[in-house]
Amino acid sequence: MLIDAVLTPAEIALLPQRDLSGTTCVVFDVLRATSSMITALAHGAAEIHPACTIDEALALRQRMPDALLGGERNGDPIPGFEAGNSPLEYGAAVAGRKIITTTTNGTVALRACGGAARVLVGALLNLAALAEVLRAAAAEKVVLVCAGTFETFALEDAYAAGLLIGLLDGAATTDAAETVRLLAAAYPDPLTALRTARNGRTLAASGRAADVEWCAQVSRYKVVAQMEAGVIRLLPA
């Protein structure tokens, strides 16, 4: 297994031009899009439709009027949407529902991986389960896609990617992947890492410290989610 890492939105924008036909992509937007997705699916959500834009999300809602419409822009809920991007909004009440979501970085990163052989949703919340699936699949090429913050690198995404590499003993790494592995080793405590990150500090300052604490839980859920044809569903147990 050869592991690479994509660390910025500028690199993500180039993914559709790469040949990913033999690659498994794992997308991380730890604070908070992919953490919210994993939480929702673990609580029984039927499927998640990630949209790149607000207009696309609204168009999907026209086709699926019973779907829950959620997401954020600049970290804040979108006016007229039923939910924001806090994982605490995606508990038992979403069981059985379809979810349409659009976020500043996470949903864009997921859709940029559409040409990959496999696209998995990554978070600290399901890290061990992700590692188990990757080991079982014996994927030759894995790209860890770190969604970032606006147009910049995000510490929390790279941290989660680095922890995942640590669970994949014996995998070869590119320089980018080795960098995130070393970064993860610098933070023995996940909550400290997330509180140190720009996004963690911003969320705490806006009264959303509970979101940071939730997203810092490592391997809370034994679930793995996969995006196929633009729709995210849980893999069978």
Side-chain angles (χ1 to χ4, degrees), residues 50-234:
C52 291
T53 67
I54 293 173
D55 285 346
E56 183 187 353
L58 292 171
L60 284 169
R61 178 63 176 274
Q62 290 293 316
R63 289 165 36 200
M64 296 180 287
D66 294 331
L68 174 70
L69 190 59
E72 55 77 26
R73 281 299 180 272
N74 302 321
D76 295 320
I78 300 168
F81 280 36
E82 297 163 73
N85 192 37
S86 168
L88 302 179
E89 297 178 85
Y90 294 92
V94 303
R97 296 197 69 180
K98 296 180 180 180
I99 297 171
I100 300 165
T101 184
T102 179
T103 67
T104 307
N105 288 83
T107 57
V108 174
L110 281 159
R111 293 284 296 280
C113 298
R118 196 176 201 187
V119 183
L120 303 177
V121 180
L124 291 174
L125 293 168
N126 70 332
L127 212 60
L130 273 173
E132 186 176 338
V133 165
L134 289 170
R135 285 194 298 264
E140 290 188 15
K141 297 179 182 178
V142 176
V143 176
L144 307 180
V145 180
C146 302
T149 302
F150 300 114
E151 298 302 324
T152 63
F153 171 89
L155 186 152
E156 69 275 9
D157 297 337
Y159 174 73
L163 285 186
L164 179 59
I165 293 171
L167 297 176
L168 298 170
D169 295 336
T173 53
T174 65
D175 283 357
E178 185 64 12
T179 297
V180 300
R181 187 190 69 78
L182 292 170
L183 181 150
Y187 291 95
D189 176 47
L191 184 54
T192 298
L194 268 59
R195 284 174 170 166
T196 301
R198 171 190 174 186
N199 276 332
R201 289 181 276 119
T202 299
L203 288 165
S206 63
R208 297 165 178 156
D211 283 3
V212 180
E213 294 169 8
W214 183 270
C215 296
Q217 299 174 95
V218 176
S219 302
R220 177 186 177 95
Y221 297 119
K222 296 180 180 180
V223 300
V224 176
Q226 179 168 309
M227 185 180 77
E228 291 187 272
V231 183
I232 298 168
R233 299 183 180 91
L234 282 184

Side-chain angles (χ1 to χ4, degrees), residues 19-50:
D19 180 7
L20 299 174
S21 58
T23 299
T24 296
C25 288
V26 184
V27 180
F28 291 97
D29 189 354
V30 173
L31 292 173
R32 298 164 290 166
T34 55
S35 297
S36 294
M37 291 174 186
I38 292 301
T39 301
L41 291 165
H43 281 96
E47 59 190 38
I48 298 173
H49 297 253

